[in-house]
Coordinates of all heavy atoms in Angstrom, one line a residue:
L237 N 88.5 165.1 120.6 CA 88.9 163.7 120.8 C 88.0 162.9 121.9 O 87.5 161.8 121.7 CB 90.3 163.6 121.3 CG 91.1 162.2 121.4 CD1 91.1 161.6 120.0 CD2 92.4 162.2 122.0
E274 N 103.3 131.7 119.2 CA 104.2 131.2 120.4 C 104.8 129.8 120.2 O 106.0 129.5 120.4 CB 103.4 131.3 121.7 CG 103.2 132.7 122.3 CD 104.6 133.4 122.6 OE1 105.4 132.9 123.5 OE2 104.9 134.4 122.0
K351 N 117.7 106.4 130.6 CA 117.5 106.4 129.2 C 118.0 107.6 128.4 O 117.8 107.7 127.1 CB 116.0 106.2 128.9 CG 115.6 104.8 129.6 CD 114.1 104.6 129.2 CE 113.5 103.3 129.9 NZ 112.1 103.1 129.5
G448 N 136.9 103.2 115.2 CA 137.8 104.1 114.5 C 137.0 104.5 113.2 O 135.9 105.2 113.1
E506 N 118.6 109.8 113.8 CA 118.4 111.0 114.6 C 118.3 110.7 116.0 O 117.6 109.7 116.4 CB 117.1 111.7 114.0 CG 117.2 112.4 112.7 CD 118.1 113.6 112.7 OE1 118.5 114.0 113.8 OE2 118.4 114.1 111.6
V588 N 94.0 129.6 128.3 CA 94.1 128.5 127.4 C 95.5 127.9 127.4 O 95.6 126.7 127.1 CB 93.7 128.9 125.9 CG1 94.1 127.8 124.9 CG2 92.3 129.1 125.9
T613 N 103.9 141.7 120.7 CA 103.2 141.3 119.5 C 101.7 141.7 119.5 O 101.0 142.0 118.6 CB 103.4 139.6 119.5 OG1 104.7 139.3 119.4 CG2 102.5 139.1 118.2
Y628 N 89.3 150.7 105.8 CA 88.4 150.7 104.7 C 87.0 151.0 105.1 O 86.2 151.9 104.5 CB 88.4 149.2 104.1 CG 87.3 149.1 102.9 CD1 87.7 149.6 101.7 CD2 86.1 148.7 103.1 CE1 86.9 149.6 100.6 CE2 85.1 148.5 102.0 CZ 85.6 149.0 100.8 OH 84.7 149.0 99.8
V653 N 77.3 145.7 98.8 CA 76.8 144.4 98.8 C 77.9 143.5 98.1 O 78.0 142.4 98.6 CB 75.5 144.4 97.8 CG1 75.0 143.0 97.6 CG2 74.5 145.1 98.5
L655 N 81.1 143.8 98.1 CA 82.1 143.6 99.0 C 81.8 142.6 100.0 O 82.7 141.7 100.4 CB 82.5 144.9 99.6 CG 83.5 144.8 100.8 CD1 85.0 144.5 100.2 CD2 83.6 146.1 101.7
R656 N 80.6 142.7 100.6 CA 80.2 141.8 101.6 C 80.2 140.3 101.0 O 80.7 139.4 101.7 CB 78.9 142.2 102.2 CG 79.0 143.5 103.1 CD 77.6 143.6 104.0 NE 76.5 143.8 103.2 CZ 76.2 144.9 102.6 NH1 76.9 146.0 102.8 NH2 75.0 145.1 101.9
S667 N 87.3 128.4 105.5 CA 86.7 127.4 106.3 C 86.7 126.0 105.7 O 86.8 125.0 106.4 CB 85.2 127.9 106.7 OG 85.3 129.1 107.4
G678 N 93.5 113.8 110.1 CA 92.9 112.7 110.9 C 92.9 111.4 110.3 O 93.2 110.3 110.9
I697 N 104.7 92.5 125.3 CA 105.4 93.4 126.1 C 106.9 93.2 125.8 O 107.2 92.1 125.3 CB 105.2 93.2 127.7 CG1 105.5 91.9 128.0 CG2 103.8 93.5 128.0 CD1 105.5 91.6 129.7
A718 N 117.3 80.0 130.6 CA 116.5 79.4 131.6 C 115.3 80.4 132.0 O 114.2 79.9 132.3 CB 117.3 79.2 132.9
N727 N 101.1 79.3 132.2 CA 99.9 79.3 131.2 C 99.6 80.6 130.8 O 98.7 80.7 129.9 CB 98.8 78.5 132.0 CG 98.3 79.2 133.3 OD1 99.0 80.2 133.7 ND2 97.1 78.9 133.7
W770 N 119.7 91.0 114.9 CA 120.0 89.6 115.5 C 118.7 89.3 116.4 O 118.2 90.0 117.2 CB 121.2 89.7 116.3 CG 122.4 89.8 115.5 CD1 123.4 89.0 115.2 CD2 123.0 91.0 115.0 NE1 124.4 89.3 114.4 CE2 124.2 90.7 114.3 CE3 122.6 92.4 115.0 CZ2 124.9 91.6 113.5 CZ3 123.4 93.3 114.2 CH2 124.5 93.0 113.5
E782 N 105.4 86.2 109.3 CA 105.1 85.2 108.3 C 106.3 85.0 107.4 O 107.0 86.0 106.9 CB 103.9 85.7 107.5 CG 103.5 84.8 106.3 CD 102.4 85.3 105.6 OE1 101.7 86.3 106.0 OE2 102.2 84.8 104.4
T851 N 109.8 103.7 104.3 CA 109.5 102.3 103.7 C 110.2 101.3 104.5 O 111.1 101.5 105.3 CB 110.1 102.3 102.3 OG1 111.5 102.7 102.4 CG2 109.4 103.4 101.5
Y859 N 121.4 85.0 113.6 CA 121.0 84.3 114.7 C 122.0 84.5 115.9 O 123.2 84.6 115.7 CB 121.0 82.8 114.6 CG 120.7 82.0 115.9 CD1 119.5 81.9 116.5 CD2 121.8 81.3 116.6 CE1 119.3 81.2 117.6 CE2 121.7 80.6 117.7 CZ 120.4 80.6 118.2 OH 120.1 79.9 119.5
F875 N 96.0 88.1 130.9 CA 97.0 89.1 130.7 C 97.7 89.7 131.9 O 98.8 89.8 132.0 CB 96.1 90.3 129.9 CG 97.1 91.3 129.4 CD1 97.8 91.2 128.3 CD2 97.2 92.6 130.1 CE1 98.7 92.3 127.9 CE2 97.9 93.5 129.7 CZ 98.8 93.4 128.6
M940 N 71.5 141.6 107.8 CA 71.0 141.6 106.5 C 69.5 141.4 106.6 O 68.6 141.9 105.8 CB 71.6 140.6 105.7 CG 73.0 141.0 105.4 SD 73.9 139.7 104.4 CE 73.0 139.8 102.8
L954 N 52.0 139.9 99.6 CA 51.7 139.5 98.3 C 51.6 137.8 98.3 O 51.4 137.3 97.2 CB 52.9 139.9 97.4 CG 53.0 141.4 97.2 CD1 54.2 141.8 96.4 CD2 51.7 141.9 96.6
S976 N 82.9 129.7 96.6 CA 83.9 129.4 97.6 C 84.5 127.9 97.4 O 85.5 127.7 97.5 CB 83.3 129.4 99.1 OG 82.3 128.5 99.3
F986 N 95.9 120.9 96.5 CA 97.4 121.3 96.3 C 98.0 121.2 97.7 O 99.1 120.6 97.8 CB 97.5 122.7 95.7 CG 98.8 123.2 95.7 CD1 99.7 122.8 94.7 CD2 99.3 124.1 96.7 CE1 101.0 123.3 94.6 CE2 100.6 124.5 96.7 CZ 101.4 124.2 95.6
V987 N 97.5 121.7 98.8 CA 98.1 121.8 100.1 C 98.3 120.4 100.7 O 99.3 120.0 101.3 CB 97.4 122.8 101.0 CG1 97.9 122.7 102.3 CG2 97.6 124.1 100.5

Side-chain angles (χ1 to χ4, degrees):
L237 191 61
E274 283 296 300
K351 299 182 179 181
E506 287 288 354
V588 168
T613 305
Y628 180 78
V653 175
L655 174 68
R656 289 194 297 277
S667 299
I697 61 173
N727 64 346
W770 285 261
E782 180 182 345
T851 55
Y859 175 74
F875 184 79
M940 291 177 67
L954 295 176
S976 66
F986 174 78
V987 172

